[in-house]
Amino acid sequence: MFGLNKKDGSLLLLVVALVVFAPFLLNPFPESSGWAQFNAGYPDLMQRFVIFGIFAIGFNILFGLTGYLSFGHAAFLGVGSYAAMWMFKLFGMNVLPALALSVVTSGIFAILIGYVSLRRSGIYFSILTLAFAMMSYSLAYSVLATDMDGPDKQGLLQKGLTGGETGLQLTQSDPRIFGAQTTADGNIPVPSLFGLEMRSATELNVGDWVFTFSAGYYFSAVIMLLAFYLSIRIFRSPFGMVLRSIKSNQQRLNYTGMNPRPYMLAAFVISGMYAGLAGGLMAAMDPLAGPERMFWTASGEVVLMTILGGVGTLIGPVLGAGAIKYMENIISKINSDILHSWFAFLPDGLEDIVVTMIYPFIGKGWHLTLGIIFMLVVIFLPGGLVQGGQKLAAMVRRKKTDDTKTATTEPAE
Amino acid sequence: MGILEVKDVNKRFGGLQALGDVNLSVAENTVHAIIGPNGAGKSTLLNCLVGKLIPDTGSVMFDGQSVLGRTPFEINQMGISRVFQTPEIFGDLTVMENMLIPCFARRDGSFALHGIRSVTSEAELRDQAEQMLEDVNMLDKRNMHSASMSRGDKRRLEMAMCLVQNPKLLLLDEPTAGMARADTNNTIDLLKEIKETRDITIAIIEHDMHVVFSLAERITVLAQGTPLVEDSPENIKGHPKVKEAYLGEAA
């Protein structure tokens, strides 16, 4: 199917099904139940799942296949966001040209950064990419945020190219030469796909459940599925095999007549373009781009996502992105009142002790929880969540064969 | 004119003269052995041929072109394949995948964007790779993870990876080091068969005299970075200078 073998084909179908039915799958708890806060089926979070999924899929093409750990991938995310914002400001609110510009701009950035960084390998490569990303951050934060046109002009560059600390925002005075400067009711127009607004959504009420279908989510989801499909094809192509051989033995590759450097650069640029696409989508879902998107913690986050899900696996990065974004948004919402209501059944003194012990791990302390889970995964499941899934599946299978064995042998005894 | 012409090559590492005025000519379609005691400069010479080291002076011509200043992958593309002293293979890849990489390198050159075409659709190259694996008796291991194989198998795989490229010159750096006697004999048979069935020149560095005298048509003896004698195997066997180099003057 689509040039994939049976296993990859069914994986793709599974991901398609999960993505299409995500509004249901992520909303398992009725609105009025106490568990409703664990529902993740709202558009904002689902969009983040798929957008960071794209980011991590791209990162995995570099890190998973070649083993080169880039610590500055957030730079491409930021570049993608700024590029999309400028497309919205100058030309119009259609998301497709904005995404195209995001991908192209981040690709050009990746060629420059990759060309220099790939002269070194190992830790030096990581440090070089980190340095470039932090330089991009400070460019966006201050250098490119100075007033570049006079006060008497229309003010397009009044806050520079990047808008500095407050970020790049849309205004009613943006030219938008192929679109309307303002909507009929005097507001700033929102990103759309040929008129279909990204923030538009329909709700479906079934009993106590509310399912939200958002245009933005489904648009991002389609892009994510295309990106996922492309990554499977890259993994299974001769190009992907050469990338894996770079990770395995670069010396042998050299003496086998292949030049590793352009392969590395191609992988770096592809992965940078994935990041740019994710950045552009972020701007398309919420038209605002700030420099913090390029900060080193954002680069670290995608490393965590990939390792948590499973480095070098096809589906791992998507799972990792989902797991981290879920924790960031759900665990951080739990507060001490909610904890008290959970443990209300305990005697008063004990309740306070339990709540005090758990409290550091929730709310703003969700990073602690993430850290512990990350440590556990790295120590016990070096292959990430994917390895966990495989182990579970193997256990179930073994149990099944054991059952059938006993079932067939017992009558004989 | 041989296919490989080494002229007046000098290489110095600090105070050590690793190679001094080495002249060597390897004739086309012969098996040329380079022997010598430890530290004679055999490996240094080999590294100068494949672009890993650049000689201080002198020239190395292969097939009428200089190899000096070229990178290892460029030299491989000229038609020189090298087997290492310790097997260098792609440990994370399967045996079949290991074989396909050199096939791609030969067909597509040092860099090619293969688009999103699938590896499984490369029927022609897979056939070549399988044929080569069959020649080295490894077809049954094609789906094995190559890192988990025995050292002898890794060596055979590395040899197969070099041979599937159909090189004009095959450089072997102690191909039977650390092998069991049976494996050594298999390797000798394999190399003999290759020599008979293909147009290939083989330069071999070897300590095992059994291997050297079963294969070589020409032998160069290297000692302290300079070629001592170059002759046919029969003449080398009894040569007084060779005995002296290996056993010291007292002998």
PDB file of all heavy atoms in Angstrom, chain A residues 380-394:
ATOM      1  N   PHE A 380      15.078   1.527  32.299  1.00  0.00           N
ATOM      2  CA  PHE A 380      14.447   0.208  32.120  1.00  0.00           C
ATOM      3  C   PHE A 380      14.001  -0.073  30.687  1.00  0.00           C
ATOM      4  O   PHE A 380      13.843  -1.220  30.304  1.00  0.00           O
ATOM      5  CB  PHE A 380      13.267   0.059  33.080  1.00  0.00           C
ATOM      6  CG  PHE A 380      13.691   0.059  34.519  1.00  0.00           C
ATOM      7  CD1 PHE A 380      13.445   1.151  35.334  1.00  0.00           C
ATOM      8  CD2 PHE A 380      14.373  -1.020  35.050  1.00  0.00           C
ATOM      9  CE1 PHE A 380      13.854   1.164  36.660  1.00  0.00           C
ATOM     10  CE2 PHE A 380      14.798  -1.017  36.371  1.00  0.00           C
ATOM     11  CZ  PHE A 380      14.535   0.076  37.177  1.00  0.00           C
ATOM     12  N   LEU A 381      13.769   0.984  29.924  1.00  0.00           N
ATOM     13  CA  LEU A 381      13.340   0.785  28.538  1.00  0.00           C
ATOM     14  C   LEU A 381      14.181   1.682  27.633  1.00  0.00           C
ATOM     15  O   LEU A 381      13.704   2.698  27.148  1.00  0.00           O
ATOM     16  CB  LEU A 381      11.856   1.169  28.363  1.00  0.00           C
ATOM     17  CG  LEU A 381      10.804   0.358  29.084  1.00  0.00           C
ATOM     18  CD1 LEU A 381       9.466   1.064  28.981  1.00  0.00           C
ATOM     19  CD2 LEU A 381      10.706  -1.034  28.499  1.00  0.00           C
ATOM     20  N   PRO A 382      15.441   1.307  27.400  1.00  0.00           N
ATOM     21  CA  PRO A 382      16.289   2.177  26.578  1.00  0.00           C
ATOM     22  C   PRO A 382      15.697   2.416  25.189  1.00  0.00           C
ATOM     23  O   PRO A 382      16.020   3.409  24.547  1.00  0.00           O
ATOM     24  CB  PRO A 382      17.605   1.413  26.477  1.00  0.00           C
ATOM     25  CG  PRO A 382      17.543   0.341  27.495  1.00  0.00           C
ATOM     26  CD  PRO A 382      16.117   0.076  27.803  1.00  0.00           C
ATOM     27  N   GLY A 383      14.837   1.515  24.742  1.00  0.00           N
ATOM     28  CA  GLY A 383      14.199   1.698  23.447  1.00  0.00           C
ATOM     29  C   GLY A 383      12.944   2.558  23.518  1.00  0.00           C
ATOM     30  O   GLY A 383      12.213   2.669  22.544  1.00  0.00           O
ATOM     31  N   GLY A 384      12.695   3.179  24.685  1.00  0.00           N
ATOM     32  CA  GLY A 384      11.571   4.099  24.795  1.00  0.00           C
ATOM     33  C   GLY A 384      10.231   3.404  24.942  1.00  0.00           C
ATOM     34  O   GLY A 384      10.147   2.194  25.150  1.00  0.00           O
ATOM     35  N   LEU A 385       9.175   4.212  24.816  1.00  0.00           N
ATOM     36  CA  LEU A 385       7.825   3.681  24.964  1.00  0.00           C
ATOM     37  C   LEU A 385       7.549   2.578  23.947  1.00  0.00           C
ATOM     38  O   LEU A 385       6.812   1.630  24.227  1.00  0.00           O
ATOM     39  CB  LEU A 385       6.799   4.807  24.793  1.00  0.00           C
ATOM     40  CG  LEU A 385       6.865   5.921  25.845  1.00  0.00           C
ATOM     41  CD1 LEU A 385       5.895   7.037  25.495  1.00  0.00           C
ATOM     42  CD2 LEU A 385       6.561   5.368  27.226  1.00  0.00           C
ATOM     43  N   VAL A 386       8.157   2.700  22.764  1.00  0.00           N
ATOM     44  CA  VAL A 386       7.943   1.673  21.736  1.00  0.00           C
ATOM     45  C   VAL A 386       8.432   0.318  22.239  1.00  0.00           C
ATOM     46  O   VAL A 386       7.763  -0.701  22.078  1.00  0.00           O
ATOM     47  CB  VAL A 386       8.660   2.061  20.435  1.00  0.00           C
ATOM     48  CG1 VAL A 386       8.697   0.903  19.463  1.00  0.00           C
ATOM     49  CG2 VAL A 386       7.970   3.246  19.797  1.00  0.00           C
ATOM     50  N   GLN A 387       9.611   0.329  22.886  1.00  0.00           N
ATOM     51  CA  GLN A 387      10.129  -0.924  23.436  1.00  0.00           C
ATOM     52  C   GLN A 387       9.186  -1.461  24.511  1.00  0.00           C
ATOM     53  O   GLN A 387       8.958  -2.665  24.600  1.00  0.00           O
ATOM     54  CB  GLN A 387      11.526  -0.708  24.014  1.00  0.00           C
ATOM     55  CG  GLN A 387      12.246  -1.997  24.296  1.00  0.00           C
ATOM     56  CD  GLN A 387      13.472  -1.792  25.180  1.00  0.00           C
ATOM     57  OE1 GLN A 387      13.713  -0.706  25.698  1.00  0.00           O
ATOM     58  NE2 GLN A 387      14.232  -2.841  25.352  1.00  0.00           N
ATOM     59  N   GLY A 388       8.639  -0.535  25.333  1.00  0.00           N
ATOM     60  CA  GLY A 388       7.669  -0.943  26.344  1.00  0.00           C
ATOM     61  C   GLY A 388       6.488  -1.643  25.713  1.00  0.00           C
ATOM     62  O   GLY A 388       6.047  -2.705  26.165  1.00  0.00           O
ATOM     63  N   GLY A 389       5.980  -1.049  24.627  1.00  0.00           N
ATOM     64  CA  GLY A 389       4.860  -1.646  23.916  1.00  0.00           C
ATOM     65  C   GLY A 389       5.212  -3.018  23.377  1.00  0.00           C
ATOM     66  O   GLY A 389       4.434  -3.975  23.489  1.00  0.00           O
ATOM     67  N   GLN A 390       6.431  -3.131  22.813  1.00  0.00           N
ATOM     68  CA  GLN A 390       6.852  -4.424  22.254  1.00  0.00           C
ATOM     69  C   GLN A 390       6.949  -5.478  23.346  1.00  0.00           C
ATOM     70  O   GLN A 390       6.539  -6.622  23.159  1.00  0.00           O
ATOM     71  CB  GLN A 390       8.205  -4.277  21.558  1.00  0.00           C
ATOM     72  CG  GLN A 390       8.119  -3.587  20.208  1.00  0.00           C
ATOM     73  CD  GLN A 390       9.466  -3.140  19.700  1.00  0.00           C
ATOM     74  OE1 GLN A 390      10.450  -3.089  20.440  1.00  0.00           O
ATOM     75  NE2 GLN A 390       9.516  -2.789  18.425  1.00  0.00           N
ATOM     76  N   LYS A 391       7.488  -5.060  24.522  1.00  0.00           N
ATOM     77  CA  LYS A 391       7.615  -6.020  25.618  1.00  0.00           C
ATOM     78  C   LYS A 391       6.239  -6.507  26.067  1.00  0.00           C
ATOM     79  O   LYS A 391       6.042  -7.697  26.309  1.00  0.00           O
ATOM     80  CB  LYS A 391       8.357  -5.369  26.791  1.00  0.00           C
ATOM     81  CG  LYS A 391       9.864  -5.424  26.641  1.00  0.00           C
ATOM     82  CD  LYS A 391      10.567  -5.035  27.928  1.00  0.00           C
ATOM     83  CE  LYS A 391      12.061  -5.248  27.804  1.00  0.00           C
ATOM     84  NZ  LYS A 391      12.797  -4.697  28.941  1.00  0.00           N
ATOM     85  N   LEU A 392       5.319  -5.540  26.187  1.00  0.00           N
ATOM     86  CA  LEU A 392       3.951  -5.905  26.582  1.00  0.00           C
ATOM     87  C   LEU A 392       3.354  -6.893  25.584  1.00  0.00           C
ATOM     88  O   LEU A 392       2.790  -7.913  25.955  1.00  0.00           O
ATOM     89  CB  LEU A 392       3.088  -4.646  26.652  1.00  0.00           C
ATOM     90  CG  LEU A 392       3.001  -3.956  28.009  1.00  0.00           C
ATOM     91  CD1 LEU A 392       2.147  -2.708  27.900  1.00  0.00           C
ATOM     92  CD2 LEU A 392       2.413  -4.910  29.038  1.00  0.00           C
ATOM     93  N   ALA A 393       3.501  -6.543  24.294  1.00  0.00           N
ATOM     94  CA  ALA A 393       2.926  -7.402  23.257  1.00  0.00           C
ATOM     95  C   ALA A 393       3.529  -8.803  23.322  1.00  0.00           C
ATOM     96  O   ALA A 393       2.822  -9.804  23.204  1.00  0.00           O
ATOM     97  CB  ALA A 393       3.168  -6.782  21.879  1.00  0.00           C
ATOM     98  N   ALA A 394       4.844  -8.865  23.549  1.00  0.00           N
ATOM     99  CA  ALA A 394       5.507 -10.167  23.633  1.00  0.00           C
ATOM    100  C   ALA A 394       4.990 -10.959  24.827  1.00  0.00           C
ATOM    101  O   ALA A 394       4.792 -12.170  24.746  1.00  0.00           O
ATOM    102  CB  ALA A 394       7.019  -9.968  23.739  1.00  0.00           C
TER     103      ALA A 394
END
